[in-house]
Amino acid sequence: MEHSKLRPQLVMCRADLSDLPQIQLPSEYTVRCYQDGDGPAWEQIIAASFERQVQAGEFDRSMKRKRAFRPERVLFVLHGDEPVATASAWDSIGWGPATGQLHMVGVKPGHRGKRLGYWVSLAALHQFYTEGRPSAMLSTDDFRLSAVKTYLFLDFVPVIIHENQRQRWADVFLALSKPTLIQNSPSRSL
């Protein structure tokens, strides 16, 4: 499915990570960090989640070779031995070293509807807190409504970084049947 990407991407933040809930995955799932050989599984999850082609070796190029990469920052939810969801606890560009960026969150289609995106994202937030980062941010697209819903459950709030985002957030919240949420969104320039 082709979606038009509006720029700049929408931004959300969670200013305080000190009160994170515990991770309570459904009993048939576990969470762990990256292990050697997980690149192809990450590529499959991202291809299915973002509905785009992912070339072999993209994990190495876009994640593993980056300065921010550490195995403990790339989280996976497993069903048995199969990685079925992922999220990364990444460095944020422009938000400073105290703020982590929730990055590349995805869940395989056959495992959606079980809140795995929530749990793997929460695991990434716990990683930030372990690293001494008290806050987190993320960027997302207007059409990723279920992702925005997950981020709201994780207590992220919109941050207006461009004037065109006021109406875009209003449209997102209207689509989520939460039209009053945009009224309290902070503004920030990057």
Side-chain angles (χ1 to χ4, degrees):
M1 179 182 290
E2 189 66 32
H3 297 281
S4 63
K5 290 191 175 197
L6 300 174
R7 297 286 177 210
Q9 280 189 298
L10 299 176
V11 173
M12 301 179 82
C13 72
R14 180 174 169 150
D16 183 5
L17 300 179
S18 66
D19 61 347
L20 294 171
Q22 294 301 310
I23 299 167
Q24 299 178 357
L25 284 161
S27 61
E28 66 271 23
Y29 294 93
T30 57
V31 65
R32 67 161 169 80
C33 64
Y34 172 85
Q35 296 176 355
D36 285 338
D38 281 340
W42 181 91
E43 292 163 0
Q44 290 174 359
I45 295 166
I46 295 305
S49 298
F50 287 74
E51 299 173 338
R52 66 176 175 90
Q53 291 288 339
V54 173
Q55 300 297 318
E58 185 170 327
F59 177 82
D60 288 345
R61 289 186 299 277
S62 65
M63 299 291 285
K64 195 170 182 181
R65 292 183 188 153
K66 301 295 182 183
R67 180 187 56 78
F69 176 79
R70 292 185 202 153
E72 63 272 17
R73 289 182 173 176
V74 180
L75 291 303
F76 290 95
V77 169
L78 280 69
H79 184 253
D81 292 333
E82 177 191 8
V84 297
T86 189
S88 297
W90 220 236
D91 289 341
S92 63
I93 304 299
W95 287 68
T99 302
Q101 179 182 8
L102 182 60
H103 186 53
M104 300 305 285
V105 178
V107 178
K108 280 187 171 181
H111 296 271
R112 292 182 185 154
K114 299 175 184 181
R115 300 187 71 207
L116 300 182
Y118 173 89
W119 296 117
V120 74
S121 296
L122 181 59
L125 297 181
H126 277 281
Q127 178 61 34
F128 291 137
Y129 194 71
T130 298
E131 292 179 11
R133 297 180 192 216
S135 62
M137 58 77 62
L138 61 87
S139 46
T140 191
D141 297 305
D142 304 52
F143 60 87
R144 298 192 190 286
L145 296 177
S146 39
V148 170
K149 196 174 184 180
T150 295
Y151 304 143
L152 290 170
F153 280 126
L154 286 164
D155 294 329
F156 279 86
V157 296
V159 177
I160 306 296
I161 62 166
H162 189 279
E163 192 54 39
N164 75 6
Q165 293 182 338
R166 291 190 189 286
Q167 184 59 51
R168 290 166 56 198
W169 273 116
D171 294 343
V172 166
F173 288 132
L174 186 60
L176 293 174
S177 300
K178 298 181 182 297
T180 59
L181 287 179
I182 193 62
Q183 297 169 356
N184 298 322
S185 296
S187 295
R188 177 186 172 127
S189 59
L190 292 178

